[in-house]
């Protein structure tokens, strides 16, 4: 008997660690549960979402939130069960692509609960979708890279060759070419989202090839740190990483999920979104909505150490005439943040590196085109899995 | 061009091979005394988090390395107690240690995720020696002090193992503990010491990763290096010198897997080091019997006085 009690206690403590569930429910607050695929301290994707959750909870006194981290697809449904049954969740956010099917399944089971799934494409009357796109900020950092490189060789350390990563690489390459037509972008793949040792060796390998500036997709600041050790520059990724390399970090992308969460929860609270009208609700938020922010840390768009060089490098734009790269960056940012967006990196005419026409003159890439992009832009060099040949 | 290419690759080989070498040297000693420790990955990552935490809070990276050594040693003692004193199955105990290490380090490391480290063990360039043709560029420009420590340690540990009475004692305990026991050797003491040394070196390897190689803490950052160490130990035929060669071959392959991406598919390259490990082990297993005889005879066998 004693053994059994000890066993149960250990089990309970263990479960407590596994499910870092927040505070208990009270009153008539709106209750929102968040399910993350990674740890909230991963300094990458899940941490970004958790900061969004905290932001929403801070600004809405009527909101109560809780979360569970490290939830892989097979455990999504049971976690949702706990949220809905034990915590009376009104809204459930599932944040990973792999959470898609279990979310749809659970939504059928709980038709009165509102669900939002991040990064997927399946919706239902009570399931909406949302995503924050970073490609516009990648384009702006590409412009900077073009002005700052001395070797005309830039490097991109990519995680997996998915459409999202390819979209970011292409956007960076488009900016790069606009600021510096001679520069090329050398790509290396890690085939992992988190692989600090691999990122280190990939960066070192690119430096050996003569690369002096970096962008990357990997959930640690390794590329940035390695660039700093070698006197190269880099752009930070996803979270503000400036403090890891204050000389090397020129700028970067900061993903800001808070604005999306705030918007959704506000609309749920005031009855705009219900469990019956989400069939066509899809957020694809960009710079305009402040969902993607330019900078290696908040409130610093460009590292002051690099501003002079960006101001003294000039280019000639067919429409804007001769201007400094710095002014071009500001202009493009303004255009992409305007109420009526007047610029996007993916505007034709555009060819891929196989010389295949991808966008006609003046054509803007559609949501679907960007969502499924596989081709590589002209100045991209290196391996490119699943490259389309037509 | 080719010259710069080779020099660059070899310099990176040393940097990446170092944690593998340190781990392998320790595992060689542990196995020479008859104890397989599959907990290298766990000991390494315990070293990595304790080194980072110490360097972060005290600002002294070398103190971090010292604490990493102690943490690795303490973790190894768990395995020693289970497998030597309690005579538990060494495979199970080692596996448990790896899981324990990965879990505990994740828990303790929560507060250190995403924190930059200001006090690191940075790379050095050695004056004079750096001007030696070729070798200077590979070995003495922009290399880490711990790389040198591991290189110096290799011949010393090799000498002790094969040329001194301590080495004979260790090897005889691994070959035939009953005979060693009757010759008056304290089998348990020798085994404890060797397993402890293995833990200390694995801990230092982890510390190197988190405060020198890439100064930051990330959950699971050893990324399977501990398992490569197990394979390398066999590949090295339990000899420190061959351990060095093996560790550097792995280091080179891992660096090359990024260097060669423009020419070979990245997925294939990523497999390369592991495919090499499997091929090397197969070659050893079916090759001439010489290597096989190097395996300590009582490896994985708990010693019980009076039996056999």
């Amino acid at each position: 008997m004693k053994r059994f009690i000890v066993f149960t206690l250990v089990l309970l403590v263990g479960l407590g660690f596994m499910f870092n569930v927040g505070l208990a429910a009270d009153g008539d607050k709106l209750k929102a549960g968040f399910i993350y695929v990674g740890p909230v301290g991963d300094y990458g994707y899940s941490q970004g979402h958790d900061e969004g959750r905290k932001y929403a909870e801070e600004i809405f006194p009527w909101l109560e939130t809780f979360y569970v981290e490290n939830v892989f697809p097979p455990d999504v449904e049971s976690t949702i069960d706990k949220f809905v049954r034990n915590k009376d969740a009104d809204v459930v956010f599932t944040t990973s692509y792999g959470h898609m099917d279990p979310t749809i399944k659970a939504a059928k089971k709980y038709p009165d609960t509102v669900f939002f799934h991040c990064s997927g494409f399946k919706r239902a009357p009570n399931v909406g979708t949302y995503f924050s796109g970073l490609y516009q900020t990648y384009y702006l950092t590409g412009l900077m890279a073009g002005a700052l490189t001395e070797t005309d060789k830039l490097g991109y350390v990519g995680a997996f060759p998915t459409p999202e990563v390819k979209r970011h690489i292409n956007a960076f390459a488009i900016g790069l070419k606009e600021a510096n037509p001679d520069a090329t972008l050398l790509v290396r793949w890690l085939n992992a989202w988190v692989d600090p040792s691999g990122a280190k060796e990939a960066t070192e390998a690119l430096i050996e090839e003569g690369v002096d500036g970096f962008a990357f997709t990997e959930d640690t600041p390794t590329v940035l740190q390695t660039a700093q050790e070698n006197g190269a520059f880099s752009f930070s990724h996803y979270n503000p990483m400036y403090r890891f390399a204050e000389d090397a970090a020129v700028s970067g992308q900061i993903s800001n999920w808070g604005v999306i969460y705030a918007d959704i929860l506000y609309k749920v609270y005031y009855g705009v979104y219900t469990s019956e009208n989400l069939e066509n609700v899809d957020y694809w938020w960009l710079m305009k909505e402040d969902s993607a922010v330019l900078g290696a840390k908040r409130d610093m768009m460009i590292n002051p150490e690099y501003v002079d060089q960006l101001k003294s490098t000039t280019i000639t734009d067919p429409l804007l005439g001769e201007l400094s790269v710095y002014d071009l960056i500001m202009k493009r940012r303004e255009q992409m943040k305007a109420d009526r967006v007047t610029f996007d990196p993916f505007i034709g005419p555009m060819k891929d590196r196989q010389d295949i026409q991808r966008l006609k003159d003046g054509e803007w890439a559609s949501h679907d085109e960007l969502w499924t992009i596989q081709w590589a832009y002209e100045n991209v060099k290196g391996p490119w899995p699943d490259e389309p040949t037509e | 061009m080719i010259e710069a290419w080779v020099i660059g690759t070899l310099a990176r080989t040393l940097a990446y091979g170092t944690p593998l070498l340190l781990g392998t040297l320790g595992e060689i000693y542990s196995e020479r005394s008859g104890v397989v420790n599959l907990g290298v990955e766990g000991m390494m990552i315990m070293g990595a988090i304790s080194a980072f935490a110490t360097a972060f809070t005290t600002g002294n990276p070398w103190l971090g390395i010292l604490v990493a050594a102690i943490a690795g040693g303490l973790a190894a003692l768990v395995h020693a107690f289970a497998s030597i004193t309690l005579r538990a199955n060494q495979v199970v105990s080692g596996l448990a240690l790896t899981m324990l290490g990965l879990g505990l380090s994740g828990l303790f490391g929560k507060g250190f995720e995403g924190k930059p480290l200001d006090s690191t063990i940075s790379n050095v360039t050695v004056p004079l020696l750096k001007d030696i043709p070729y070798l200077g560029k590979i070995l003495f420009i922009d290399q880490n002090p711990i790389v040198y420590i591991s290189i110096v340690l290799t011949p010393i540990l090799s000498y002790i193992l094969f040329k001194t009475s301590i080495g004979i004692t260790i090897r005889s305990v691994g070959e035939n503990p009953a005979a060693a026991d009757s010759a008056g050797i304290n089998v348990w003491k020798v085994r404890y010491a060797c397993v402890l040394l293995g833990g200390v070196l694995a801990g230092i390897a982890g510390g190197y990763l988190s405060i020198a190689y890439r100064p930051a803490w990330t959950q699971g950052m050893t990324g399977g290096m501990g398992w490569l160490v197990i394979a390398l130990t066999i590949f090295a035929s339990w000899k420190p010198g061959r351990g060095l060669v093996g560790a550097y071959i792995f280091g080179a392959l891992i660096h090359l897997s990024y260097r060669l991406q423009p020419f070979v598919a990245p997925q294939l390259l990523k497999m390369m080091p592991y495919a090499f490990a499997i091929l090397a082990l197969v070659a050893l297993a079916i090759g001439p019997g010489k290597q096989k005889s190097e395996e300590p005879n009582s490896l994985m066998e708990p010693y019980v006085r009076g039996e056999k």
Side-chain angles (χ1 to χ4, degrees):
Chain A
M1 190 58 202
K2 201 176 160 196
R3 273 200 155 183
F4 177 71
I5 293 170
V6 172
F7 174 75
T8 315
L9 273 175
V10 170
L11 198 70
L12 283 176
V13 173
L15 286 175
F17 278 125
M18 276 171 75
F19 300 104
N20 264 321
V21 182
L23 293 164
D26 75 281
D28 42 3
K29 283 184 165 184
L30 183 76
K31 297 181 195 78
F34 291 73
I35 299 179
Y36 307 134
V37 69
V40 292
D42 67 351
Y43 215 72
Y45 189 76
S46 293
Q47 181 169 329
H49 280 279
D50 199 52
E51 271 163 20
R53 175 189 68 83
K54 286 186 206 151
Y55 169 81
E57 192 169 66
E58 205 170 286
I59 60 173
F60 298 137
W62 41 259
L63 176 68
E64 181 190 316
T65 66
F66 32 88
Y67 69 89
V68 179
E69 53 187 338
N70 290 321
V71 181
F72 293 109
D75 300 322
V76 169
E77 242 190 294
S78 60
T79 310
I80 292 175
D81 287 341
K82 282 191 203 82
F83 276 3
V84 177
R85 287 187 198 152
N86 306 348
K87 316 217 93 196
D88 299 319
D90 304 301
V91 188
V92 174
F93 293 98
T94 49
T95 57
S96 172
Y97 184 80
H99 294 171
M100 179 162 68
D101 289 330
T103 305
I104 296 290
K105 225 173 135 195
K108 286 208 180 90
K109 199 155 68 175
Y110 304 110
D112 297 330
T113 308
V114 169
F115 290 87
F116 271 88
H117 174 243
C118 177
S119 79
F121 55 86
K122 289 186 184 168
R123 279 180 293 277
N126 61 336
V127 185
T129 48
Y130 64 102
F131 199 68
S132 156
L134 294 175
Y135 72 92
Q136 293 174 328
T137 33
Y138 268 104
Y139 159 79
L140 293 177
T141 55
L143 287 175
M144 295 177 208
L148 296 175
T149 179
E150 277 161 22
T151 59
D152 283 352
K153 278 184 185 172
L154 283 301
Y156 197 111
V157 177
F160 282 103
T162 64
E164 188 195 352
V165 177
K166 287 179 173 175
R167 183 166 67 237
H168 293 166
I169 296 174
N170 282 330
F172 186 82
I174 290 166
L176 177 64
K177 177 147 193 220
E178 192 175 336
N180 185 344
D182 300 327
T184 54
L185 180 61
L186 279 60
V187 177
R188 296 290 180 272
W189 301 100
L190 299 174
N191 287 305
W193 294 111
V194 181
D195 180 6
S197 312
K200 168 107 185 175
E201 290 312 316
T203 309
E204 294 279 359
L206 285 165
I207 283 170
E208 299 277 341
E209 307 270 334
V211 166
D212 69 347
F214 289 88
F216 62 95
T217 315
E218 196 259 346
D219 279 349
T220 71
T222 308
V223 175
L224 190 60
Q225 288 177 297
T226 311
Q228 167 122 346
E229 278 170 27
N230 287 282
F233 65 86
S234 176
F235 300 94
S236 85
H237 172 63
Y238 220 85
N239 281 306
M241 295 177 172
Y242 173 73
R243 54 197 173 138
F244 279 94
E246 300 190 353
D247 298 320
V250 182
S251 182
Q253 323 83 39
I254 301 170
S255 187
N256 189 16
W257 294 98
V259 290
I260 299 185
Y261 286 131
D263 192 80
I264 293 174
L265 289 164
Y266 184 83
K267 286 177 176 159
V268 172
Y269 188 68
Y270 288 104
V272 180
Y273 293 153
T274 67
S275 56
E276 282 153 16
N277 67 3
L278 301 179
E279 192 87 58
N280 294 313
V281 175
D282 177 34
Y283 284 68
W284 164 247
W285 275 18
L286 304 168
M287 284 191 79
K288 182 188 168 192
E289 293 87 0
D290 263 336
S291 167
V293 178
L294 183 67
K297 68 169 183 174
R298 293 187 198 276
D299 308 319
M300 189 188 81
M301 272 198 283
I302 302 172
N303 187 335
E305 284 182 41
Y306 292 93
V307 168
D308 285 346
Q309 202 181 336
L310 293 174
K311 282 185 173 161
S312 62
T313 312
T314 56
I315 62 156
T316 308
D317 182 84
L319 290 176
L320 304 167
E322 189 177 325
L323 76 173
S324 74
V325 171
Y326 185 85
D327 289 338
L328 180 65
I329 293 162
M330 293 304 145
K331 179 76 188 166
R332 293 299 190 218
R333 182 172 172 272
E334 195 182 300
Q335 289 175 317
M336 291 189 285
K337 282 183 76 71
D339 281 342
R340 200 178 158 278
V341 175
T342 54
F343 178 81
D344 191 86
F346 291 92
I347 301 179
M350 193 169 286
K351 280 182 176 172
D352 70 12
R353 66 176 186 179
Q354 309 273 12
D355 213 29
I356 302 167
Q357 188 89 22
R358 290 299 173 186
L359 293 169
K360 291 194 283 287
D361 200 359
E363 181 190 359
W364 287 45
S366 67
H367 176 294
D368 287 352
E369 167 81 31
L370 290 174
W371 199 262
T372 57
I373 192 165
Q374 288 291 358
W375 46 268
Y377 191 61
E378 294 169 52
N379 53 354
V380 174
K381 301 263 183 269
W384 197 265
D386 301 320
E387 184 162 16
T389 50
E390 56 183 293
Chain B
M1 178 66 202
I2 296 267
E3 194 184 301
W5 214 90
V6 172
I7 287 173
T9 303
L10 288 178
R12 291 309 309 160
T13 293
L14 296 182
Y16 195 91
T18 293
L20 295 174
L21 172 58
L22 284 167
T24 306
L25 291 176
E27 185 69 10
I28 286 174
Y29 263 68
S30 180
E31 293 193 13
R32 278 286 181 183
S33 79
V35 183
V36 163
N37 189 350
L38 298 184
V40 180
E41 179 85 358
M43 302 188 298
M44 251 193 203
I45 199 137
M46 292 288 276
I49 182 57
S50 25
F52 187 86
T54 309
F56 188 85
T57 40
T58 65
N60 185 341
W62 287 104
L63 189 64
I65 291 292
L66 180 71
V67 175
I70 294 171
L74 286 176
L77 282 183
V78 174
H79 180 64
F81 180 71
S83 62
I84 303 169
T85 305
L86 300 182
R87 302 188 199 101
N89 183 311
Q90 293 179 5
V91 171
V92 175
S93 161
L95 283 174
L97 183 56
T98 286
M99 284 186 260
L100 182 77
L102 289 170
L104 277 182
S105 62
L107 190 66
F108 293 142
K110 270 219 176 305
F112 296 101
E113 291 271 0
K115 297 257 170 73
L117 186 64
D118 295 325
S119 43
T120 63
I121 296 177
S122 36
N123 289 2
V124 292
T125 294
V126 186
L128 296 176
L129 292 178
K130 75 177 164 53
D131 299 323
I132 303 173
Y134 303 110
L135 199 63
K137 282 186 189 155
I138 298 166
L139 204 50
F140 297 113
I141 293 183
D142 200 25
Q143 279 298 2
N144 202 274
I146 297 179
V147 173
Y148 300 136
I149 293 175
S150 67
I151 293 176
V152 172
L153 218 49
T154 307
I156 294 176
L157 289 178
S158 183
Y159 180 82
I160 292 175
L161 197 55
F162 295 110
K163 305 278 182 214
T164 66
S165 62
I166 301 173
I168 294 171
T169 306
I170 292 171
R171 283 184 292 136
S172 56
V173 164
E175 289 298 329
N176 192 340
D181 193 11
S182 56
I185 295 169
N186 187 332
V187 173
W188 295 276
K189 229 187 226 172
V190 171
R191 287 191 166 178
Y192 259 92
C194 288
V195 173
L196 184 67
L197 178 68
V200 166
L201 291 177
I204 294 174
Y208 167 78
L209 286 174
S210 70
I211 62 182
Y213 177 77
R214 184 198 69 109
W217 164 252
T218 307
Q219 197 179 337
M221 64 182 288
T222 45
M225 272 192 184
W227 297 111
L228 285 180
V229 164
I230 308 288
L232 274 171
T233 305
I234 303 169
F235 173 76
S237 301
W238 298 269
K239 289 175 182 159
R242 286 185 57 159
L244 180 131
V245 174
Y248 289 159
I249 292 178
F250 270 89
L253 286 174
I254 285 173
H255 179 73
L256 284 175
S257 72
Y258 299 103
R259 208 75 212 271
L260 296 176
Q261 278 198 6
F263 317 109
V264 187
Q267 292 88 340
L268 267 179
L269 285 169
K270 191 155 192 184
M271 266 167 41
M272 199 165 61
Y274 307 96
F276 170 77
I278 294 170
L279 284 179
L281 294 186
V282 168
L284 281 180
I286 60 175
K290 177 93 173 54
Q291 269 96 9
K292 260 186 276 176
S293 66
E294 284 291 333
E295 181 177 336
N297 255 328
S298 69
L299 193 61
M300 292 174 67
E301 281 170 23
Y303 176 59
V304 187
R305 182 175 270 171
E307 279 180 13
K308 277 194 239 175

